[in-house]
Amino acid sequence: MTQFAQRAVTWSENWRRFRKNKAALIGGLIVLAVVITAIIAPVISPYNPDDVVAGRLQPPSNKFWFGTDGIGRDCLSRVVWGSRTALMVGLGASLISVIVGVAFGSIAGYYGGIIDDAMMRICEILLVIPSFFLYILIVSIFRVRGPEYIAVLLALTGWTELAKIVRVDFFSLKEREFTKAAIGLGASDIHIIFRYLLPNDLAPIIVVATMNIAGFIIMEAALSFIGLGDPTACSWGIMLSQGRQYIGYAWWLATFPGLATFITAVGFNFLGDGLRDSLDPRLRGTI
Amino acid sequence: MFLLAYLAPGDPVTVFYLSRIGGRYSHAELDYIRQMLGLDQPIHIQYFRWIWRMIQGDFGQSYIWNQPVLPLIRSSILNTLRMMIPAFVLSILFGIVTGVISAAKQYSKTDHIVMASSLLMWSMPWFWSGLMAIYIFSVYLHLLPTGGMYTFGQPPTVVDQISHLIMPVLLYATSGAGFITRLTRSCMLEVLREDYIMTARMKGLKERVVIYKHALRNAILPVVTVVSLYVSYLVGGAAVIEFVFAWPGVGRLAVLAATQRDYPVVLGINMVVATVVLIALLIADISYAYLDPRIRY
């Protein structure tokens, strides 16, 4: 934890290092492609994703690149529109988890003592509950099935890692001279946290948040896949779960949305991994 | 005591759940059912009653299967373990070996390939790869059964069961292995920087001995810690795999129960799984003492 001084690098230096990392660049390009796809979905999708445009279970052809699903909707259009859902869940959940996790971690790390002890116990409890079974429980009880609810659920159990990282870093940042100077000058706690501590801890937050996006997207697909999602939503997981029913004779139904999920997750993970290498060499190779 | 505190997590949810259930049925049959199930009592009484019964091993009746919850869970958890344990062992072995190799040759080509492929493995939606595997090996090549534990209408044999196990175990193992590889690598790199590694090399020991005897022994400890913390996450992964391969395990039971609103079962599973995870943590705690002689209880 004594290598913090090395972190004082400029953003252009970061960008240079990032560019040299091929995997990261590929990841960044994939993410960019997915984001663009989601934005221009209405333009590039050949059909309305909810319209029945052809006979059911048509194999891929020139007219329907990815084939049609069980009730005759175009799979390509659904995959394209599904990117919106996936990104919404991934980015939304990640954003919420950053807010909760950073707030939690900074309070615990800044104040320390009993507050820290109590807060860390909460963290540990959350980490130990099998969150997957908790989702099942919550989803089945409250009947919340839409992707937006799933995103919130995922975020509310997925922030602990961030909280831990921020807390540990705050412990050492708190002892640095500039923080001591700020305290000596009589700066308020909030001012110190936002002006002195958080800016110095951005790198790991960004990295973990990026990699969390991939995890959240996969989890959303998994939950939808096992039948806990909203069956009317246009999401990759829902498509996969429908594809499962026809796996014996319609391979395209499950293949393409799964591939989309996989590629998107790879994109975010590679991007996060590359960001770690360029932003924060200290973290290199850790999860 | 520390461990008991862990057990608390299910509880707020439980309270909520018990308060909701009355509202759930709220139209015609209600009062009778409420009385029968004791749901006309205030929440806190219900809650303590539930806890009390649970301590005695009574998780209530399943609404759907119409039998006590505990035996249901017990048999399915055994099935889950039958799949999880070989998968877990495989992924740990594989993960540690690849992690060590890639740490020993940091920044080499091997290292880059291992790191990239472990990230790929980690990004794999494992339920999707399961579907693809079913399609390729079962539907297309007719090599392996699509799912379940035994072939219907045939006497259960060992070979039969193994053939049913291959796909879920391998898939589950790969999803965990990517994670463990990265973890092992980073822990190894940390340890390799230590002075005693330098000393060992200075003594003229073979690189193999340094890596496996001096470094790995010290690196394994944080690996055990983190893996044990992620057991709860891994259990969730197993649930999805079970669902894909129709393996009659606890995850599949939970999903079926959840989609049919069989709350006692879902709740019971949550408690049992939380307990199992706690036991796993305890085992991890104890194994520290074995792995690290500095720790004594």
Side-chain angles (χ1 to χ4, degrees):
Chain A
M1 291 299 145
T2 51
Q3 305 145 359
F4 274 94
Q6 294 163 7
R7 279 224 230 140
V9 283
T10 60
W11 288 98
S12 64
E13 165 79 10
N14 287 333
W15 168 238
R16 197 184 54 76
R17 260 188 287 173
F18 181 75
R19 234 177 10 188
K20 271 186 9 198
N21 186 336
K22 262 184 234 140
L25 213 56
I26 295 172
L29 287 178
I30 294 175
V31 169
L32 197 67
V34 175
V35 171
I36 291 175
T37 308
I39 292 171
I40 61 169
V43 185
I44 56 170
S45 75
Y47 305 93
N48 185 325
D50 295 324
D51 281 356
V52 176
V53 290
R56 57 198 294 270
L57 300 179
Q58 303 246 331
S61 61
N62 277 337
K63 213 167 154 222
F64 308 104
W65 288 2
F66 289 181
T68 60
D69 72 1
I71 56 174
R73 294 172 297 193
D74 177 39
C75 281
L76 174 61
S77 308
R78 289 184 73 73
V79 169
V80 167
W81 280 83
S83 65
R84 289 196 162 186
T85 314
L87 280 185
M88 193 196 76
V89 170
L91 296 175
S94 192
L95 188 70
I96 301 173
S97 71
V98 165
I99 294 172
V100 178
V102 169
F104 206 88
S106 15
I107 293 173
Y110 184 76
Y111 292 104
I114 298 178
I115 298 179
D116 174 45
D117 277 348
M119 291 178 99
M120 278 305 111
R121 288 300 86 74
I122 298 176
C123 254
E124 274 158 19
I125 288 169
L126 269 176
L127 206 59
V128 171
I129 310 179
S131 44
F132 193 83
F133 289 87
L134 192 67
Y135 302 140
I136 292 180
L137 182 68
I138 294 175
V139 170
S140 67
I141 289 173
F142 297 109
R143 293 195 186 181
V144 287
R145 324 194 77 184
E148 58 274 25
Y149 295 106
I150 292 184
V152 173
L153 266 183
L154 290 173
L156 290 183
T157 48
W159 52 266
T160 45
E161 195 188 350
L162 268 166
K164 284 189 162 178
I165 292 171
V166 172
R167 165 179 171 267
V168 170
D169 284 352
F170 268 32
F171 278 148
S172 59
L173 285 172
K174 214 166 57 170
E175 302 303 321
R176 299 284 300 280
E177 290 81 1
F178 56 80
T179 318
K180 293 237 159 106
I183 295 173
L185 285 170
S188 68
D189 291 349
I190 298 214
H191 184 78
I192 292 174
I193 290 177
F194 279 101
R195 283 299 302 242
Y196 295 90
L197 301 182
L198 271 185
N200 276 299
D201 206 26
L202 271 183
I205 295 174
I206 293 173
V207 170
V208 174
T210 314
M211 296 187 95
N212 274 349
I213 295 175
F216 288 141
I217 288 177
I218 293 182
M219 277 310 283
E220 191 267 333
L223 286 176
S224 305
F225 173 72
I226 59 172
L228 296 175
D230 172 10
T232 59
C234 184
S235 120
W236 292 336
I238 298 288
M239 294 180 74
L240 274 170
S241 84
Q242 286 159 357
R244 195 180 80 99
Q245 300 159 16
Y246 301 109
I247 187 72
Y249 40 94
W251 56 270
W252 56 92
L253 270 184
T255 308
F256 295 112
L259 206 58
T261 315
F262 178 45
I263 292 173
T264 312
V266 167
F268 278 107
N269 272 334
F270 273 42
L271 178 65
D273 199 48
L275 281 174
R276 158 175 21 248
D277 286 354
S278 56
L279 292 181
D280 192 354
R282 183 178 61 101
L283 286 169
R284 188 177 274 257
T286 52
I287 298 296
Chain B
M1 278 146 282
F2 183 57
L3 290 176
L4 270 180
Y6 271 149
L7 259 179
D11 301 349
V13 181
T14 316
V15 179
F16 226 26
Y17 144 74
L18 283 171
S19 65
R20 293 282 305 217
I21 208 171
R24 192 132 298 284
Y25 286 8
S26 40
H27 297 308
E29 331 129 86
L30 294 324
D31 283 340
Y32 175 63
I33 295 180
R34 271 197 202 140
Q35 258 174 21
M36 204 172 72
L37 295 174
L39 293 176
D40 49 350
Q41 308 285 336
I43 292 166
H44 59 278
I45 294 184
Q46 288 182 26
Y47 174 63
F48 282 116
R49 188 187 280 171
W50 184 73
I51 293 280
W52 180 240
R53 285 192 185 150
M54 199 185 61
I55 293 171
Q56 297 169 324
D58 176 9
F59 285 82
Q61 288 270 329
S62 156
Y63 296 159
I64 297 165
W65 287 281
N66 216 352
Q67 49 172 304
V69 171
L70 201 59
L72 263 180
I73 298 178
R74 195 185 300 140
S75 64
S76 66
I77 238 174
L78 287 180
N79 290 339
T80 297
L81 290 179
R82 208 182 291 189
M83 182 195 83
M84 250 181 99
I85 289 174
F88 205 57
V89 170
L90 261 181
S91 65
I92 286 181
L93 282 181
F94 182 81
I96 287 182
V97 169
T98 51
V100 167
I101 291 173
S102 118
K105 302 182 175 163
Q106 202 189 357
Y107 303 135
S108 69
K109 205 159 209 170
T110 327
D111 181 27
H112 285 303
I113 292 171
V114 168
M115 289 312 280
S117 51
S118 68
L119 204 54
L120 278 180
M121 273 191 218
W122 201 28
S123 320
M124 185 74 85
W126 60 107
F127 43 97
W128 172 66
S129 32
L131 279 183
M132 293 295 106
I134 290 180
Y135 182 73
I136 294 170
F137 293 108
S138 310
V139 179
Y140 196 71
L141 296 175
H142 295 288
L143 281 179
L144 297 167
T146 53
M149 225 161 79
Y150 300 107
T151 312
F152 257 132
Q154 277 180 21
T157 59
V158 179
V159 180
D160 186 40
Q161 180 155 56
I162 290 177
S163 74
H164 280 87
L165 265 173
I166 291 177
M167 279 200 291
V169 165
L170 281 184
L171 274 171
Y172 185 56
T174 46
S175 70
F179 173 73
I180 295 174
T181 302
R182 296 178 76 80
L183 192 66
T184 311
R185 177 180 180 270
S186 65
C187 295
M188 279 292 286
L189 289 179
E190 198 110 305
V191 170
L192 284 174
R193 262 184 245 133
E194 300 279 345
D195 292 339
Y196 55 79
I197 297 297
M198 182 81 88
T199 315
R201 284 195 177 132
M202 296 292 199
K203 280 199 302 190
L205 291 179
K206 285 195 198 104
E207 186 66 16
R208 263 174 60 112
V209 179
V210 176
I211 298 269
Y212 284 97
K213 216 165 163 200
H214 294 243
L216 182 58
R217 280 215 180 164
N218 289 292
I220 208 93
L221 199 66
V223 174
V224 172
T225 318
V226 178
V227 169
S228 68
L229 279 180
Y230 279 83
V231 162
S232 63
Y233 177 79
L234 295 174
V235 172
V240 182
I241 291 274
E242 281 168 12
F243 185 74
V244 176
F245 290 100
W247 186 263
V250 73
R252 188 161 165 274
L253 182 69
V255 172
L256 289 180
T259 44
Q260 294 169 19
R261 310 199 182 290
D262 194 346
Y263 301 113
V265 175
V266 181
L267 210 59
I269 289 175
N270 263 280
M271 291 314 290
V272 171
V273 172
T275 316
V276 170
V277 169
L278 285 182
I279 294 171
L281 285 182
L282 190 67
I283 294 174
D285 256 351
I286 293 169
S287 66
Y288 293 158
Y290 175 73
L291 291 167
D292 186 348
R294 282 171 299 186
I295 297 174
R296 284 271 165 268
Y297 291 110

